[in-house]
Every structure is written in C-alpha cells, then in structure tokens.
C-alpha cells in the first residue's frame, strides 16, 4: 500500500500539455475533463498495489523500476521509492517511450 503520491514537474507538464491541447486546440473541454478524471481514478486504483504489475523493460540500467498505467491513448509511467509512488511521465502510447524515460 502506498503512503504518498508525488507528481514530478515533468509529469505535471506532460498532463498540462495534453489537457491544454484537447481543450483549446480540439475545443473539447469535456474530453479534457474526462481524461483528468480517468488519470485520477487510475492513480487511486494503482496505489493499493503499485509494484504488483510487470515492470517496464528499458535499455538503461535504473536505480528504480518503471511501471506503467494505460489510460485511454496515453501511458502514465511511475516508480516506487520507499512507499511513495512517483509519477514521472504521461505520454501518448504511440510514442517511443524508451527515448523519453
């Protein structure tokens, strides 16, 4: 069970850019709000067992394993450090995550 959730600046920037694009460029504020709600629910659901899923395999050797949550057409990447779920990236599932993590 996770005690804390930490949002990195990069994660906040990623989400903000996606939400801004959906609400302003696509002119669909309802879809942007639904995405935010989906993100919040996915995070809440995952906090009960964040390390109970397959880690993301990357070419780089890392101190902490990355895990992912698929949310609509996006992927949320996070790590777990001492009881804290740290949200690192939120990117389109079609992008090459290995270059972004």
């Amino acid at each position: 069970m996770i005690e804390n959730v930490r949002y990195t600046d990069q994660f906040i920037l990623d989400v903000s850019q996606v939400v801004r694009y959906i609400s302003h460029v696509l002119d669909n504020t309802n879809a942007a709000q639904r995405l935010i709600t989906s993100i919040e629910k996915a995070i809440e659901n995952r906090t009960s067992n964040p390390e109970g899923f397959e880690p993301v395999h990357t070419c780089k050797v890392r101190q902490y394993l990355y895990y992912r949550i698929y949310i609509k057409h996006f992927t949320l990447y996070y790590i777990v450090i001492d009881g804290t779920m740290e949200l690192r990236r939120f990117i389109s599932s079609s992008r090459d995550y290995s270059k972004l993590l």
Side-chain angles (χ1 to χ4, degrees), residues 43-84:
I43 293 166
E44 182 180 333
N45 290 338
R46 186 60 63 96
T47 59
S48 63
N49 188 18
E51 296 173 293
F53 297 85
E54 181 182 3
V56 175
H57 300 288
T58 62
C59 296
K60 295 180 185 177
V61 176
R62 301 177 183 281
Q63 183 176 2
Y64 302 102
L65 295 173
Y66 270 81
Y67 297 91
R68 66 181 143 220
I69 305 171
Y70 296 108
I71 305 168
K72 301 191 183 280
H73 302 290
F74 299 92
T75 307
L76 185 160
Y77 293 93
Y78 68 92
I79 62 173
V80 178
I81 306 172
D82 299 326
T84 297

Side-chain angles (χ1 to χ4, degrees), residues 7 11 15 18-19 22 29-46 69-72 76 90:
Y7 302 84
F11 176 81
V15 172
V18 170
V19 168
I22 293 169
T29 55
N30 290 333
Q33 185 56 52
R34 286 193 306 272
L35 179 60
I36 291 169
T37 300
S38 295
I39 293 168
E40 290 169 347
K41 285 181 182 177
I43 293 166
E44 182 180 333
N45 290 338
R46 186 60 63 96
I69 305 171
Y70 296 108
I71 305 168
K72 301 191 183 280
L76 185 160
F90 184 76

Side-chain angles (χ1 to χ4, degrees), residues 16-33:
S16 297
Q17 289 175 338
V18 170
V19 168
R20 192 174 312 118
Y21 179 81
I22 293 169
S23 54
H24 296 297
V25 175
L26 300 180
D27 196 27
N28 194 338
T29 55
N30 290 333
Q33 185 56 52

